């Protein structure tokens, strides 16, 4: 009955699968065999018994071959063993044809406690050879595969193998009597266990952890024992108290005793579970405890990194996995991706580093359940629908790609925040139902914790961003205000200088010319008149210089001013210095300053520059040196050191006061001693020099000065590189 039912059930689950078909055939064999077996003990005549025996052995002939057929299909080696399968069927048919003859059962005789038992014919011996032959061969195939496999399939094979060995050995008890050995037949009972074990193994994808089964069994056993002790106690005590169990007092006492029994049984059951878990199933116990603890801890951390670490480390360590990791959603750039938050044990180059929003993630989002890779292959195999099967295989492929054997969704509402990716258990055991339940609970909690952490981080970031923006804008405003202030100051300075330096010469010129106009000059001698004219001329020249300085300064007063090497020529510094020297000889002579120009014998390398600008810079330096020196000496030196051309302008003039040293390159800046000595300066000369020199790539200017002793300015410029 059991085997007929199971056979039909498995066929009903998926009638297209060859595995299910062969298993159903095998069930049919077992049923055929056992059915007449049940009738046989009731047979009164030797003829009836013989008929039942013969009927039974038709089924029996097919059991080993159907079983072999099923094993071959199940292990997916049918193509390789095809001939053997055909051969086995041929054997079974040949044998069953011999059953009605005396060649199989020679006759019926009383044996042991049985009224009738069969005497073996020659074909029966052959049947036994076939029976054990296929039994051992199938067992060998299963065992071989068992050693190769890991995970779920290994577990399934284990179940089938245990069932098979139990029942075949049990079934073989049926054969002893045939040969006159007095061992009674237990075949039926064992055969059923075989069928049940096998069916369980192929039906259930998620096999129960053996430890869980044993634990449950032990708890029932303990409860049963308690009930038994209680019962025995009553049997002894009742007659002592009330003479008989059936007395009226005894029955009334039952009203008190029964509730006591029920309550104590519950208590006992609870204690039994606790003790068992603590002493015998501590790993199971521990695991549960850890997960509960982890769930509680998760809520205490607002920090995402810590949460991820906690999840990955705890799962990996407590379940003893070879690898574990968490991927988190990343929506940057408008594309949804899942990126590693933390992984241990994965080869990152194999695809886990970046999971796109794909089949896998959609499936996890939809089902919100753990996804076990091994199960997918089995599901794909067993589903009748081709499209479903393809989808499942796709999913399996995705998981293989990222080396995952189990994926858990991290959900917040409908959004998939991330994926927990796990490898295999180090023991090679598959994930049990228990594992999956606990992991599901954990991933739910983790999803919530991660979402909280993200929201927390986002609000914190937002705050930071806000602070940063405010700070940025404040500093920008401050900078602008400072800039404006500077501009205003410059404007003031400019107006100051302009009014003073432009106005003074202009008013002198105007005054002198008006004297010529109103005829007051006519009274003066020609020579005096000449002096006035010279003075006017001199003032206009100064005006000219100041105006040129102002124009030049405004021209180069910008951050972008650069001597562009592309638009520059190669220039001989010697020529430029010579020209400056020639121009300023006269001024030096007027001021009784000796002007020297020292050029090295060997020409220095040329430099890339704009000759006009560079001449202006050196002119200003030498002009200053002469201006601020009274009856002294000004010397211009030129040298080449490495890839640099160095120009030094020495003087032994008034020097620069320490207080003004860091300002003299600024626009309109003049030291007090300079103003006293020479009133008409613009304070723009050095500003222009510095700008021009520093507009050369690698160009620099510096000075040393001692008040009252003299000053030396040093200019360094890079030589033009060969080929440029
Ligand atoms: P200006 O010469 O028109 O005053 P510059 O910008 O050329 O303006 O010079 C700025 C200031 O640097 C001068 O006013 C002066 O105080 C100081 N300075 C420049 N060169 C010399 C020098 N050779 N000796 C002493 N002081 C100098």
């Amino acid at each position: 009955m059991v085997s007929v039912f199971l056979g039909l059930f498995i066929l009903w689950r998926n009638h297209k699968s060859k595995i299910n078909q062969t298993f159903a055939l095998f069930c049919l064999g077992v049923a055929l065999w056992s059915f007449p077996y049940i009738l046989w003990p009731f047979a009164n005549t030797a003829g009836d018994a013989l008929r039942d025996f013969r009927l039974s052995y038709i089924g029996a002939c097919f059991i080993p071959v159907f079983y072999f057929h099923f094993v071959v299909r199940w292990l997916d080696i049918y193509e390789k063993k095809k001939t053997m399968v055909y051969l086995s069927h041929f054997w079974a048919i040949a044998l069953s044809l011999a059953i009605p003859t005396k060649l199989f059962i020679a006759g019926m005789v009383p044996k042991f406690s049985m009224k009738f038992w069969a005497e073996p014919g020659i074909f029966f011996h052959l049947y036994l050879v076939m029976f054990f032959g296929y039994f051992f061969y199938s067992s060998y195939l299963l065992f071989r595969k068992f050693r190769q496999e890991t995970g779920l399939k290994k577990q399934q094979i284990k179940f089938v193998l245990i069932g098979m060995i139990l029942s075949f050995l049990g079934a073989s008890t049926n054969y002893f009597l045939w040969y006159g050995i007095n061992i009674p037949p237990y075949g039926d009972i064992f055969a059923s266990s075989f069928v049940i074990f096998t069916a369980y193994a192929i039906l259930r994808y998620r096999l129960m952890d053996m430890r869980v089964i044993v634990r449950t069994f032990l708890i029932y056993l303990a409860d049963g024992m308690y009930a038994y002790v209680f019962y025995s106690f009553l049997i002894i005590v009742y007659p002592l108290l009330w003479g008989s169990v059936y007395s009226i007092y005894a029955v009334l006492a039952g009203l008190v005793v029964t509730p006591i029994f029920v309550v104590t049984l519950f208590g006992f059951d609870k204690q039994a579970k606790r003790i068992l878990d603590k002493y015998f199933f501590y790993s199971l116990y521990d695991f549960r405890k850890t997960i509960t603890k982890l769930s509680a801890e998760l809520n205490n951390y607002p920090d995402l990194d810590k949460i991820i670490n906690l999840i990955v480390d705890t799962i990996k360590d407590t379940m003893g996995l070879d690898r574990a990791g968490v991927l988190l959603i990343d929506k940057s750039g408008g594309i949804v991706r899942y990126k590693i938050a933390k992984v241990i044990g994965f080869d990152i180059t194999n695809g886990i580093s970046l999971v796109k929003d794909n089949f896998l993630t959609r499936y996890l989002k939809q089902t919100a359940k753990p996804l076990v890779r091994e199960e997918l292959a089995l599901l794909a195999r067993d589903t009748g629908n081709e499209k479903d099967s393809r989808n499942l295989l796709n999913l399996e492929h995705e998981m293989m790609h990222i080396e995952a054997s189990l994926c858990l969704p991290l959900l917040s509402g409908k959004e998939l925040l991330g994926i927990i990716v796990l490898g295999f258990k180090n023991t090679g055991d598959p994930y049990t139902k228990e594992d999956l339940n606990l992991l599901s609970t954990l991933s739910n909690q983790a999803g919530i914790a991660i979402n909280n952490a993200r929201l927390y981080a986002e609000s914190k970031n937002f705050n930071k961003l806000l602070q940063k923006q405010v700070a940025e804008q404040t500093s920008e405003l401050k900078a602008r205000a400072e800039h404006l202030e500077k501009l205003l100051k410059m404007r003031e300075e400019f107006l100051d200088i302009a009014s003073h330096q432009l106005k003074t010469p202009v008013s002198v010129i105007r005054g002198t010319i008006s004297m010529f106009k109103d005829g007051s000059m006519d009274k003066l001698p020609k020579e005096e008149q000449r002096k006035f004219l010279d003075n006017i001329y001199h003032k206009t020249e100064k005006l000219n210089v100041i105006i040129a300085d102002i124009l030049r300064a405004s021209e180069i007063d910008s951050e972008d001013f650069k001597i562009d090497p592309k638009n520059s020529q190669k220039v001989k510094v010697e020529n430029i210095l010579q020209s400056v020297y020639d121009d300023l000889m006269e001024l030096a002579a007027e001021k009784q300053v000796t002007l020297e120009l020292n050029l090295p014998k060997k020409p220095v390398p040329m430099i890339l520059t704009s000759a006009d600008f560079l001449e202006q810079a050196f002119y200003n330096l030498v002009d200053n040196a002469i201006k601020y020196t009274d009856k002294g000496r000004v010397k211009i030196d030129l040298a080449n050191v490495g890839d640099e051309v160095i120009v030094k302008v020495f003087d032994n003039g008034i020097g620069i006061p320490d207080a003004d040293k860091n300002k003299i390159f600024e626009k309109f800046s003049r030291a007090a001693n300079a103003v006293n000595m020479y009133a008409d300066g613009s304070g723009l000369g050095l500003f222009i020099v510095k700008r021009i020199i520093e507009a050369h790539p690698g160009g620099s200017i510096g000075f040393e000065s001692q008040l009252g002793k003299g000053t030396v300015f040093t200019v360094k410029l890079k030589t033009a590189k060969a080929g440029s």
Side-chain angles (χ1 to χ4, degrees), residues 298-318:
L298 278 179
N299 293 323
N300 292 337
Y301 286 127
D303 179 23
L304 193 61
D305 282 347
K306 272 198 188 147
I307 290 179
I308 305 283
N309 278 340
L310 201 65
I311 296 172
V312 174
D313 294 343
T314 315
I315 297 187
K316 186 173 175 293
D317 295 345
T318 39

Side-chain angles (χ1 to χ4, degrees), residues 624-625 627-628 651 655-656 664 669-671 674 681-686 711:
N624 276 349
K627 253 179 3 198
Y628 300 117
D651 70 59
I656 302 167
I664 56 156
S669 145
R670 306 194 69 206
S682 68
L684 287 170
L686 280 185
T711 310

Side-chain angles (χ1 to χ4, degrees), residues 502 505 537-547 678 680:
L502 297 178
Y537 180 74
H538 202 63
K539 290 286 178 207
T540 50
E541 263 198 332
K542 261 194 192 135
L543 265 181
N544 211 12
V545 169
I546 291 175
I547 291 168
Y678 176 73
D680 292 335

Side-chain angles (χ1 to χ4, degrees), residues 379-417:
L379 283 171
R381 187 197 68 193
D382 286 356
T383 176
N385 184 322
E386 204 177 299
K387 200 176 141 219
D388 286 352
S389 160
R390 218 182 25 245
N391 284 345
L392 290 166
L393 287 176
N394 268 344
L395 260 183
E396 196 205 358
H397 180 80
E398 298 278 7
M399 286 183 78
M400 261 174 29
H401 183 59
I402 59 169
E403 296 184 307
S405 65
L406 189 133
C407 284
L408 286 159
L410 287 167
L411 289 162
S412 158
K414 287 232 148 63
E415 196 195 2
L416 185 69
L417 296 179

